[in-house]
Amino acid sequence: MTKEDFRKILNLEEFIDIIKVETGDEKTKCIHIKSSRKKARCPKCNNFSKKIHDYLKPSKITYLKNSEEETYLIVYKRRFECKYCKKTFTEDLGISSPKNKMSHKTKQLILK
Ligand SMILES: [Zn+2]
């Protein structure tokens, strides 16, 4: 499967970059993702900030887990510093818990 296939299956936003897909063993996949955006919107004052404060430790989200298949998203997030209100905030990649949204068919696709 190509990265684009993964993007479609996982229903990722356009600005999400798939860094790499790691296959651990037969049933484990780790999909590393980050934002390709150069800026993020400050949740406090709504201005865009380009100033990166630091990089967070990647977080691991369980995307799919059953007896045959385990798929994880490894999410790399940055913290930005707003130059207007000085607030430091973490960017939002729009990754919500996708488990409920995924149809059985989608799960079958990932299994292949
Ligand atoms: Zn702000």
Side-chain angles (χ1 to χ4, degrees), residues 42 44-47 82-87 89:
C42 172
K44 195 176 170 196
C45 68
N46 255 351
N47 284 298
C82 178
K83 66 177 176 182
Y84 299 97
C85 67
K86 305 292 177 208
K87 186 184 163 66
F89 61 93

Side-chain angles (χ1 to χ4, degrees), residues 2-110:
T2 66
K3 286 180 180 179
E4 277 311 306
D5 290 335
F6 275 111
R7 182 196 298 284
K8 285 196 197 104
I9 289 167
L10 301 174
N11 203 11
L12 297 174
E13 304 274 355
E14 271 303 301
F15 67 90
I16 303 287
D17 260 357
I18 297 175
I19 306 166
K20 60 178 173 179
V21 178
E22 252 177 12
T23 315
D25 50 43
E26 291 275 300
K27 65 169 194 171
T28 312
K29 274 194 198 75
C30 287
I31 300 161
H32 297 245
I33 58 169
K34 68 177 176 66
S35 167
S36 61
R37 281 178 176 162
K38 295 272 188 294
K39 54 189 179 180
R41 192 188 286 275
C42 172
K44 195 176 170 196
C45 68
N46 255 351
N47 284 298
F48 280 105
S49 172
K50 284 184 182 173
K51 192 176 175 198
I52 293 168
H53 182 73
D54 60 4
Y55 295 84
L56 295 182
K57 220 173 120 218
S59 52
K60 190 173 185 176
I61 297 173
T62 305
Y63 195 83
L64 174 68
K65 193 172 186 179
N66 58 38
S67 54
E68 294 114 45
E69 176 83 352
E70 290 175 30
T71 302
Y72 301 98
L73 295 177
I74 313 293
V75 185
Y76 295 73
K77 284 184 178 182
R78 298 161 296 180
R79 275 197 301 188
F80 286 82
E81 192 182 312
C82 178
K83 66 177 176 182
Y84 299 97
C85 67
K86 305 292 177 208
K87 186 184 163 66
T88 305
F89 61 93
T90 305
E91 66 182 336
D92 182 12
L93 301 194
I95 311 281
S96 51
S97 91
K99 280 184 201 158
N100 305 330
K101 282 189 240 158
M102 258 211 315
S103 66
H104 186 69
K105 201 182 165 193
T106 313
K107 287 180 184 173
Q108 290 302 316
L109 272 173
I110 291 180

